[in-house]
Amino acid sequence: MTQTLERPTEPEAQRPGRRSGLSRRTRLRFVPYFLILPALTVLAVVLLWPIGQMLYISLHDYGLQQLRGQEAEWNNFGHYIYVLTDERFWSVFRNTIIVCLSMVVLTMILGTLVGILMHKLPKWASTTLGLGLMLAWATPVISAAIVYRWLFDTRYGLVNTILNSLPTWLVGSGWNEFNWFNSPETLFPILVITVVWQSFPFVAISVLAGLKSIPNELYEAARIDGASAWRSFWNVTFPMLRPLFALLLILQVIWDFRIFTQLFILAGGITNRDIHLIPTYIFQLGFASTPPNYGMGSAIAVIMTVLVLVISAYYLRAMIRQEETR
Amino acid sequence: MNNVYRLRKRLGRGGAYLAALAVFIFAVFPVYWVLATALRPTGEIFTREPTLFPREITFEHFERVLSGVLIPGTSFWSFLTNSLIVTVGSVAFAALLALLAAIAVARFKFKLRSAFIIMLLVIQMVPVEALIISLFINFFHLGNALDLELVGNLTGVFVIYIAVALPITILMIRNFVSAVPKELEEAAAIDGASGWTIFWRILMPLVAPGLAAASIFAFITAWNEFLVAFTFLQNNTGAYTLPISLQYYFGAVSIEWGSIMAASTLLTVPVMIFFLFVQRRMVSGLTMGAVKG
C-alpha cells in the first residue's frame, strides 16, 4: 500500500507543544471517552433507559393516568402473577413457539438444501439462482406481507383461483370464497410461508459461503470411502460448518420471535383476538386495548426480552469471547 | 458400468437444474406478481381468471399513486419526503456517531473499552418490539419535560432509528478502522501530520467504503421500518413514512390492489438497488467469524 504524504516544510522541532496545561498524555487518556460520548448518550436515552423503564412499568400499576403524570403504584409482581397464570398468555406463548419453530426449521432446511444445490450447480446457474434469491431477500417486509395477502386473497387471489380450477377429488371444493386470514389454523401457515420465503435466501447464501471454505479433498476422501451424499453431509459438511449452523439457527430464532409487521398486515390489524403472537400481544395490551394496560404489556415485554437474551446467550458468549481475543 | 454411472450423473444434473428452477420460481414469483399486478388494468386485476402475463400494460396505478390523495392533506410525495428525511438523516447521524465511537474502540486502549463493546453486543439483542411501550412512554415524558413534541411526529422516530442503527454500525466500522495499518498513521505522525490531517487523508479514504456499506445497511433497515413509525405517527398523518402509508390502501370495503402494488414497487426499488451493493457484506457482517469457529 502506497500512501503519499506531503512532507511538512517546517522541521519537527519548530512545533511547540500546542496547548499548555494538561500534558499530552492526560489529554490522550480522555480522547476515547469523548469519542464514545455522543453514541453512548443516544444509546442511553433510547435503549438503556427504556429497558429500565420497562422493568419499572412492569412492576407497577401503569395506565393512562400514570402516563399523564399520576404516581405509579407498586403492585407486588401482580402483572407477572396474572400473566403467568393467564390462559390467554399461554395460548399466545404456545402459538409463538409453534409458529417460530416452524419458520426456523423450514428456513434452515430449505436454506441449507438450496445452499448445497448452489454449490453443485455450474457458476452461471448458481449466480442466476442467487440473483433470484436476492429479490425475495431484499423485498421490504411490508411489501412481502402485502403480496402474500394478495396471493391468498379471498375473492381474486391467485391461490384460490388455482385451487378452484383443480379437480375436487384432489383439493376439495369451496375455494372460491375461502378466507385464509380469519382463523389461526390457516393464517399462521401463510405467515410461516411469508417469513420463510424471505429468510431462506440468507441461510442459503451463508451456507454457500461456508461450503466454499471447505477443502474439496475432504469430499474426495469421503467419496473414495464410498460415502453417500447423505453420509458425506453428516460426516464432512455438518461438522465443518457447525459454528455457522449454530449462529444461523440463533439469528433465525431471534428474528422469527420478533415477527410483527407480517402478522399485522396479513391479519388486517390486531383486532382479531385469536391470532396474536407475543409482539402483537404486547402492542395490543399497550396501545390497542381500552384502557391501555402499559404495566401488563411491559411485563410480557420483559418476559420476551429475557427469552431473547437466553436464546442468544450462546451467540453473545461466542461474540464476547471473540472480543476478548482481539 | 461406465454408462450407468454417466447416466446417473446426467440424471443427477437434470434433477439439480429442475430443483434450481423450482427454487428460482418460488423466490421470484411473488416479486413478479407485485409488478404484474401493478401493470395490469383494474379490470384485469379483479377477475376470477387471472393470466400469468398482463394482457395489457398500463401505468395508471403508478400515476394514481404518484398523483393521488390517499389521506387528505398528504400525498405519495409527502410520504416519500418524510421517509427520506428520517432515513437519510438518521443514517447520517448514526454513521457520524458510530465512526467516532469506532475509532475510539479500534485505536485506543481505555478502561471501559470492553464494557462498552459488551454493552453494544447485548443491547443489539434487545428487541424493539419489546421496548415499544416504554419507548413511547419515555418519549412522551421526555417531550413534556423538554417541552418538545417527541411523540406524534418524526423527531422521536428519527432518534430511535439512530439508536437502533448504532450498535451494529459501530461494530462494523470498527472492523474497517482496525484493518487500516497503524504504521500508516504513525508514519504520517512522524512526518508531522496533525491528528486532523491523519484522520482526513489517511483514515477516511480507507474507511470510507466500510462506512458506506454500514450506512446502506442502516438505510435499508430504517427505510423498511414499520412498528416504531406506526406507533409514534399513528395520529399524525402528515408525518407518515412510506411503509406505514401502504396499509392505508386497505380500505374498509375494498382493497385497491393495483395502487398498493404500484406503491409497493416504488418502496422496493431503492432497497433492491442498495441491496446489490451490500449483499455480500451483509452475509459476512451477520455471520462474523462464525465459519472460523
Side-chain angles (χ1 to χ4, degrees):
Chain A
M1 193 165 302
T2 52
Q3 192 79 27
T4 47
L5 277 171
E6 287 167 44
R7 274 181 174 277
T9 40
E10 68 244 274
E12 184 75 3
Q14 277 183 3
R15 279 183 36 219
R18 271 170 300 172
R19 250 166 280 168
S20 48
L22 292 171
S23 73
R24 188 179 146 75
R25 218 177 202 187
T26 327
R27 264 191 283 127
L28 261 182
R29 201 143 50 104
F30 287 112
V31 169
Y33 293 102
F34 283 123
L35 291 176
I36 63 168
L37 190 65
L40 198 57
T41 312
V42 175
L43 288 173
V45 172
V46 182
L47 296 175
L48 292 176
W49 184 17
I51 292 174
Q53 182 83 354
M54 169 171 72
L55 279 168
Y56 174 86
I57 296 172
S58 76
L59 291 166
H60 292 75
D61 283 323
Y62 210 105
L64 275 180
Q65 286 99 344
Q66 283 71 27
L67 181 68
R68 298 204 183 103
Q70 210 180 81
E71 194 71 24
E73 223 168 285
W74 167 262
N75 83 345
N76 215 5
F77 300 99
H79 295 311
Y80 289 95
I81 294 167
Y82 182 89
V83 166
L84 294 176
T85 53
D86 180 20
E87 231 170 82
R88 231 175 111 53
F89 169 75
W90 287 113
S91 109
V92 171
F93 183 83
R94 198 194 55 225
N95 285 346
T96 309
I97 301 285
I98 295 173
V99 169
C100 178
L101 270 185
S102 328
M103 289 169 181
V104 171
V105 169
L106 287 174
T107 304
M108 289 302 291
I109 293 178
L110 185 61
T112 306
L113 287 175
V114 173
I116 294 173
L117 178 67
M118 286 172 85
H119 193 52
K120 293 226 159 96
L121 288 173
K123 192 151 186 347
W124 69 268
S126 167
T127 312
T128 315
L129 183 52
L131 281 172
L133 296 187
M134 239 174 59
L135 287 182
W137 184 12
T139 301
V141 165
I142 182 153
S143 308
I146 288 172
V147 67
Y148 273 88
R149 173 134 182 190
W150 171 222
L151 284 167
F152 286 88
D153 184 63
T154 306
R155 298 199 100 198
Y156 302 107
L158 188 65
V159 174
N160 280 4
T161 309
I162 291 174
L163 286 172
N164 207 36
S165 68
L166 290 175
T168 311
W169 59 264
L170 190 66
V171 292
S173 62
W175 296 107
N176 230 336
E177 298 281 333
F178 188 78
N179 188 334
W180 297 84
F181 305 108
N182 267 353
S183 81
E185 291 82 16
T186 49
L187 173 71
F188 285 143
I190 293 171
L191 180 67
V192 171
I193 296 174
T194 310
V195 172
V196 170
W197 174 72
Q198 279 210 286
S199 48
F200 87 92
F202 168 62
V203 174
I205 289 170
S206 303
V207 168
L208 176 66
L211 286 171
K212 282 185 178 158
S213 73
I214 301 178
N216 219 359
E217 290 82 50
L218 290 176
Y219 289 106
E220 270 161 34
R223 205 174 308 137
I224 289 165
D225 289 348
S228 62
W230 181 249
R231 286 281 310 261
S232 79
F233 175 80
W234 283 113
N235 291 341
V236 181
T237 313
F238 188 72
M240 290 295 285
L241 298 186
R242 192 193 297 271
L244 177 69
F245 281 123
L247 176 72
L248 291 174
L249 192 69
I250 284 162
L251 286 176
Q252 292 304 329
V253 174
I254 295 169
W255 291 339
D256 292 346
F257 209 74
R258 301 171 54 171
I259 295 295
F260 179 94
T261 312
Q262 294 94 320
L263 179 56
F264 184 88
I265 294 296
L266 287 176
I270 47 169
T271 43
N272 187 344
R273 289 169 52 104
D274 300 326
I275 48 79
H276 280 300
L277 298 181
I278 291 178
T280 55
Y281 195 44
I282 292 173
F283 188 90
Q284 154 85 30
L285 289 169
F287 298 109
S289 63
T290 37
N293 194 341
Y294 301 120
M296 196 74 78
S298 294
I300 297 175
V302 170
I303 296 173
M304 175 178 174
T305 309
V306 170
L307 274 172
V308 170
L309 288 178
V310 168
I311 296 165
S312 54
Y314 171 93
Y315 172 69
L316 279 173
R317 212 184 54 187
M319 295 296 281
I320 290 169
R321 198 176 291 159
Q322 207 178 318
E323 280 309 322
E324 280 161 356
T325 57
R326 274 178 95 95
Chain B
M1 183 67 198
N2 208 1
N3 276 343
V4 172
Y5 179 73
R6 217 177 287 157
L7 182 69
R8 264 186 64 178
K9 204 168 174 190
R10 198 168 291 169
L11 275 180
R13 195 178 298 157
Y17 280 125
L18 218 62
L21 187 67
V23 174
F24 186 82
I25 291 172
F26 175 60
V28 172
F29 186 78
V31 180
Y32 167 75
W33 204 237
V34 172
L35 206 60
T37 309
L39 293 172
R40 274 180 223 269
T42 308
E44 251 190 68
I45 296 174
F46 295 102
T47 167
R48 302 253 184 191
E49 282 111 31
T51 50
L52 186 55
F53 300 102
R55 266 166 288 181
E56 193 188 320
I57 292 215
T58 167
F59 290 96
E60 60 174 285
H61 303 300
F62 285 95
E63 276 161 30
R64 183 127 32 91
V65 167
L66 293 176
S67 63
V69 175
L70 183 59
I71 309 160
T74 67
S75 68
F76 177 84
W77 302 104
S78 72
F79 304 140
L80 180 70
T81 314
N82 291 335
S83 263
L84 279 176
I85 291 174
V86 77
T87 310
V88 174
S90 66
V91 169
F93 265 91
L96 178 68
L97 302 193
L99 179 64
L100 297 178
I103 291 174
V105 172
R107 279 292 186 258
F108 294 89
K109 288 223 176 313
F110 56 106
K111 257 200 193 131
L112 294 178
R113 185 176 168 276
S114 8
F116 181 64
I117 294 176
I118 290 173
M119 182 202 79
L120 293 178
L121 291 170
V122 175
I123 220 171
Q124 178 180 208
M125 286 293 134
V126 176
V128 180
E129 290 74 11
L131 279 186
I132 194 73
I133 291 179
S134 50
L135 273 174
F136 184 83
I137 290 175
N138 263 316
F139 276 68
F140 187 85
H141 288 321
L142 197 65
N144 281 350
L146 300 174
D147 208 17
L148 277 172
E149 227 180 295
L150 293 178
V151 167
N153 65 31
L154 287 173
T155 322
V157 179
F158 183 77
V159 180
I160 293 173
Y161 287 180
I162 297 176
V164 171
L166 270 177
I168 182 89
T169 317
I170 295 175
L171 294 170
M172 274 177 84
I173 297 176
R174 185 266 311 255
N175 287 336
F176 286 95
V177 177
S178 305
V180 178
K182 248 192 177 146
E183 291 73 33
L184 276 180
E185 289 167 32
E186 283 161 7
I190 288 168
D191 285 348
S194 68
W196 273 110
T197 316
I198 294 175
F199 176 76
W200 280 113
R201 310 217 22 197
I202 299 184
L203 200 58
M204 269 313 273
L206 292 170
V207 173
L211 200 59
S215 303
I216 294 176
F217 200 81
F219 181 96
I220 295 174
T221 317
W223 182 259
N224 291 345
E225 207 285 329
F226 182 83
L227 177 61
V228 171
F230 180 64
T231 310
F232 277 72
L233 305 176
Q234 250 178 14
N235 302 320
N236 183 1
T237 49
Y240 277 3
T241 56
L242 271 180
I244 55 170
S245 77
L246 282 190
Q247 52 151 343
Y248 283 85
Y249 288 100
F250 291 97
V253 190
S254 67
I255 304 173
E256 273 189 63
W257 285 113
S259 302
I260 203 174
M261 290 301 151
S264 193
T265 308
L266 294 170
L267 174 77
T268 306
V269 168
V271 182
M272 294 282 178
I273 294 170
F274 283 139
F275 216 83
L276 276 171
F277 292 110
V278 286
Q279 174 244 132
R280 215 166 270 179
R281 210 149 265 152
M282 274 177 118
V283 172
S284 56
L286 289 166
T287 58
M288 250 181 285
V291 182
K292 280 172 230 140

